[in-house]
Amino acid sequence: MAQVPQTFFDALAVRSWCGLALGALGRAREEIDAINVYPVADGDTGTNLYLTLESAATAVEAVFAGYETGSGEPSLADAVRAMAHGALIGARGNSGTILAQLLRGMAQVLGAAETGEASPIDGARLRLALRQAADSAREAVAHPVEGTVLTVAAAAADAAEGAEGDCATVARAAYEGARAALAATPGQLAVLRRAGVVDAGGRGLVAVLGALVEAFTGEAVREAPSTSAAPAAVSAAGSGPHARVEAVSEADLCAADRNGAGGPAYEVIYLLEAGDEAVARLRERLDALGDSLVVVGGDGLWNVHVHVDDAGAAVEAGVEAGRPYRIRITHFGLGDVHTGGERPPRERVQRAVVAVVPGEGLAGLYAEAGATTVLARPGEPPASGELVQALRRAHAREVVLLPNDAELRHTAAAAAEQARTEGIRVALIPTRSAVQGIAALAVHEPERRFDEDVVQMTSAAGATRYAELVVAERQAWTTAGICQAGDVLGLIDGDVAVIGPDVTATAETVLDRMLQAGGELVTLVIGDEAPDTVADHLEARVRESYLAVDTVVYRGGRQGALLLIGVE
């Protein structure tokens, strides 16, 4: 079906642009993934851009769906704000985070213009939107560098400023300017020149701008090259008035490598509800912890991305600033660190572990043990697609998947099956609690044969009884009798075993019942809402009443349950 050209930038143009951009990134995803060579050659830039744009497009479609049952259609402000918000909450990786800020910058101009003016958005307003997008994206990056998507965005804005005419004319000028800047990126970073490729994040942005041209003209643009024909000595994009960045690049994005030949081992990403002042302090703290720092958003909601060695500290910094959630921590693996441009794209590691965890404290613990984590918030279990992405991000030939929740059994199985079709060998260990996952991870040995490693991990998980303490939300029948709203419920192996009014007393009863069958090690994972004294009380109880039983305590953060208990 032929694309209907859009004369002005209205809500339908936004919808059309998002759909076309999603298609363009879908077609180019594998190609862009393949040219991701710096600073972490994790081969996911195209995928991250696609998932970010998919979230934006879904949000726009939701706005239009809301008008289908009524009259009229959404305004431009409705559409662009939905696009920006969708991209913000769905941003993946460095490249996706920057794309989200680019879209937010455009929305700030386009949405505000429609609110205050009756005339349609024309080429002049689009020029301002492209400039705001480029500037706000650069400001979001702690240490912007040249040869990245930031340079390509600035070149697009520069070219647009020199174009007179309607939206189609301005969009085409921006696209051609970005395309030229992209071709020059190998001349700005040796690693790109040696690999014979252009910047991956910039390549994705060119695809998005090409979709904008098609939305206004109805005509597809010529594809941007992903390889460089010859080394470029100087970037044309670096000579304009807005080229305010240093020389280097990242196929995915942004940060100058401040660690020489090595670099941080973890990628930490989370959404954060916090005020401007708290975020300003957070930027300073995270900048001291690692690199590739990008913080985008505003109006109380932010998307935070950083590469660090101490994943727990990065999450803790977010907790101090506000309320972090949708936390994703990826362990780059041995050899998969910032290369400073000196090493070629990495091979897949032989083996990795992917685990679903219920709280940010456990996310840090699992990540420090080498696992790629997916955070499950109370009432928001991860979808199959999210688990598939985690299996891909692990970048391994063999992956052990720990769902850590009985309710995720089918979701995890579907994700494992999808990953297998992509050539990843996946073993699903049916862990039903995070404490079983801890037990499995404790015996994980990547040097063993895969089957043997899986057997040992499965055995350790199966030998661990698990319990949790939660607060009843309403009156209900349970296997232990009738509970009232506010009662403390002690669940052992998934069934309610104890009902009590007090957290500490109920926890002691649960622990005693579990240890009646024996045990050598008690694991306690304390949630944020549990009493401060419960851990000390239970440790003392084990020490005084159960000889030769050890206790280990972890802080789980906002994990839903007041307390998790494991006995093995």
Side-chain angles (χ1 to χ4, degrees):
M1 181 176 177
Q3 175 64 35
V4 178
Q6 302 290 327
T7 304
F8 294 103
F9 213 140
D10 57 11
L12 286 174
V14 175
R15 186 185 201 182
S16 174
W17 178 30
C18 287
L20 290 168
L22 188 62
L25 288 174
R27 292 189 297 273
R29 180 182 64 80
E30 292 185 2
E31 170 196 330
I32 296 173
D33 282 346
I35 63 172
N36 176 192
V37 298
Y38 183 88
V40 180
D42 47 2
D44 63 359
T45 294
T47 298
N48 287 337
L49 288 169
Y50 178 85
L51 292 172
T52 302
L53 208 290
E54 181 180 45
S55 183
T58 299
V60 172
E61 289 301 323
V63 168
F64 273 86
Y67 280 82
E68 289 179 356
T69 57
S71 59
E73 61 181 35
S75 66
L76 172 62
D78 291 334
V80 294
R81 288 167 187 166
M83 173 185 72
H85 181 74
L88 177 66
I89 65 174
R92 302 295 184 95
N94 273 349
S95 52
T97 307
I98 287 295
L99 176 60
Q101 190 68 359
L102 288 166
L103 297 179
R104 176 179 172 82
M106 292 191 70
Q108 287 174 328
V109 173
L110 299 176
E114 192 194 46
T115 300
E117 299 176 8
S119 59
I121 301 300
D122 57 10
R125 185 64 65 176
L126 179 56
R127 288 197 296 270
L128 293 176
L130 290 166
R131 171 53 58 204
Q132 175 66 15
D135 290 348
S136 63
R138 183 176 293 110
E139 291 170 2
V141 179
H143 298 278
V145 297
E146 188 149 356
T148 69
V149 62
L150 299 177
T151 304
V152 176
D158 289 343
E161 287 181 348
E164 296 294 336
D166 59 11
C167 287
T169 302
V170 173
R172 188 174 292 280
Y175 170 75
E176 294 296 343
R179 197 171 186 274
L182 175 67
T185 55
Q188 298 168 308
L189 185 64
V191 65
L192 296 180
R193 184 168 61 252
R194 285 195 297 271
V197 298
V198 296
D199 179 76
R203 169 68 180 86
L205 178 58
V206 168
V208 172
L209 291 173
L212 183 61
V213 175
E214 187 174 354
F216 287 123
T217 65
E219 300 174 359
V221 298
R222 53 180 176 157
E223 293 289 334
S226 293
T227 56
S228 57
V234 180
S235 166
S239 60
H242 296 284
R244 302 188 297 269
V245 288
E246 306 166 22
V248 298
S249 176
E250 190 238 281
D252 203 18
L253 161 358
C254 71
D257 181 11
R258 291 172 283 161
N259 294 324
Y266 301 99
E267 178 185 60
V268 179
I269 307 172
Y270 50 80
L271 292 178
L272 177 70
E273 293 177 358
D276 291 356
E277 292 184 3
V279 170
R281 293 191 296 271
L282 176 66
R283 288 179 191 269
E284 293 180 2
R285 182 169 176 186
L286 292 181
D287 191 32
L289 286 175
D291 60 27
S292 292
L293 174 60
V294 188
V295 181
V296 304
D299 301 321
L301 181 61
W302 310 82
N303 191 306
V304 179
H305 172 283
V306 67
H307 293 174
V308 293
D309 280 321
D310 190 342
V315 174
E316 181 63 29
V319 172
E320 292 181 4
R323 188 176 80 88
Y325 59 102
R326 292 193 184 178
I327 301 169
R328 293 192 298 274
I329 300 175
T330 303
H331 185 261
F332 289 130
L334 296 175
D336 184 18
V337 295
H338 292 217
T339 64
E342 297 303 320
R343 284 188 259 174
R346 68 181 176 102
E347 292 291 328
R348 289 181 178 273
V349 297
Q350 183 61 32
R351 191 173 308 160
V353 176
V354 171
V356 180
V357 293
E360 53 268 23
L362 282 178
L365 173 68
Y366 271 76
E368 288 169 7
T372 294
T373 62
V374 178
L375 190 71
R377 296 181 64 210
E380 295 184 21
S384 177
E386 197 169 350
L387 296 185
V388 171
Q389 282 306 116
L391 292 168
R392 292 170 179 157
R393 282 189 287 120
H395 207 66
R397 298 182 182 89
E398 303 167 340
V399 181
V400 178
L401 178 57
L402 305 174
N404 291 340
D405 186 341
E407 298 297 323
L408 288 177
R409 182 181 65 230
H410 297 301
T411 301
E417 189 60 35
Q418 174 60 37
R420 291 181 188 117
T421 66
E422 299 176 11
I424 304 172
R425 188 181 183 188
V426 182
L428 171 60
I429 297 178
T431 49
R432 294 172 289 175
S433 170
V435 291
Q436 288 190 323
I438 291 173
L441 202 55
V443 300
H444 169 54
E445 290 186 13
E447 294 78 17
R448 279 194 297 231
R449 289 177 51 251
F450 185 60
D451 292 339
E452 182 182 349
D453 197 28
V454 171
V455 168
Q456 293 298 322
M457 294 177 72
T458 303
S459 177
T464 302
R465 299 189 69 197
Y466 64 97
E468 63 177 331
L469 266 68
V470 298
V471 176
E473 297 180 354
R474 61 185 181 277
Q475 183 185 65
W477 287 91
T478 76
T479 52
I482 300 175
C483 70
Q484 304 296 327
D487 282 348
V488 179
L489 307 181
L491 289 79
I492 299 178
D493 295 336
D495 294 322
V496 177
V498 181
I499 301 174
D502 177 75
V503 174
T504 302
T506 305
E508 181 178 319
T509 302
V510 168
L511 183 57
D512 285 340
R513 291 195 183 184
M514 296 178 75
L515 286 172
Q516 285 175 1
E520 299 177 354
L521 176 66
V522 172
T523 300
L524 304 175
V525 183
I526 313 298
D528 277 352
E529 297 181 2
D532 294 336
T533 58
V534 67
D536 290 340
H537 180 86
L538 295 178
E539 281 188 285
R541 175 67 176 172
V542 172
R543 187 168 54 250
E544 295 167 2
S545 303
Y546 301 95
L547 299 178
V549 177
D550 295 322
T551 305
V552 60
V553 179
Y554 301 111
R555 296 291 169 179
R558 297 181 180 91
Q559 62 183 19
L562 297 170
L563 173 68
L564 300 177
I565 303 175
V567 174
E568 49 184 301

